[in-house]
Amino acid sequence: MELRSVEELMDLLYACREAAVPGGGPADGHGRALRTAALLRRARPADKELQVAGLVTAVGGLLWPGDAAGRAGRTADAVRPLLGERVARLVARRASSNAPADDDLRRLREAEEEGRTAVFDAGVLEDWRTVLELVAARNSRLGTGG
């Protein structure tokens, strides 16, 4: 599967919200993704690709629920045409314990971990549409998109 538009990605992210456990909790991938992206926005406000990487990891659990081992790589492959190589690389490497952790990957993992337990209003998914559009447009202009 390859995501070709922000609208397709938003539909998947909304589907993650629908699949979320009522009341949140550790299995709430949608809420965790929003909190992760919000934490990354606070830490690195100018790094939209890092923020988006934190947000889109939620779709892997929805698309490939039984494939925990291959989920990160498959999610990366799905978002690469739309969001670019850097986002895909961060998504693919975040779950791998043997991937060398540069500052971006460390920050993503830390935000994900904090997003599991943090309690704050991370906003709503629609707040991220413009950021996704900016990253997709930038990727398209660079000639690395579909």
Side-chain angles (χ1 to χ4, degrees):
M1 166 177 216
E2 289 184 356
L3 295 169
R4 295 290 181 178
S5 71
V6 170
E7 200 57 44
E8 284 181 10
L9 179 54
M10 288 295 291
D11 287 346
L12 276 175
L13 290 166
Y14 275 114
C16 291
R17 179 185 66 185
E18 299 303 318
V21 175
D28 180 11
H30 172 77
R32 187 172 58 241
L34 285 174
R35 289 188 300 273
T36 298
L39 289 164
L40 291 165
R41 179 182 274 171
R42 290 177 187 171
R44 293 239 189 106
D47 195 343
K48 305 301 184 212
E49 290 177 334
L50 182 61
Q51 297 163 26
V52 164
L55 181 67
V56 301
T57 58
V59 301
L62 181 69
L63 293 173
W64 302 285
D67 183 18
R71 185 178 302 152
R74 293 177 78 180
T75 304
D77 290 343
V79 300
R80 182 177 286 110
L82 180 63
L83 302 175
E85 188 57 41
R86 180 169 178 240
V87 172
R89 180 178 46 81
L90 287 165
V91 169
R93 293 177 58 215
R94 70 173 245 296
S96 174
S97 58
N98 37 336
D102 58 15
D103 188 51
D104 294 340
L105 188 56
R106 265 192 308 277
R107 179 96 45 187
L108 175 59
R109 288 175 177 165
E110 289 168 2
E112 250 187 340
E113 188 59 36
E114 187 177 347
R116 291 181 197 284
T117 57
V119 179
F120 65 94
D121 182 3
V124 296
L125 183 55
E126 198 60 36
D127 295 341
W128 289 95
R129 182 182 297 273
T130 302
V131 177
L132 290 168
E133 289 171 346
L134 288 169
V135 172
R138 180 176 181 272
N139 181 53
S140 177
R141 278 195 309 274
L142 293 175
T144 58

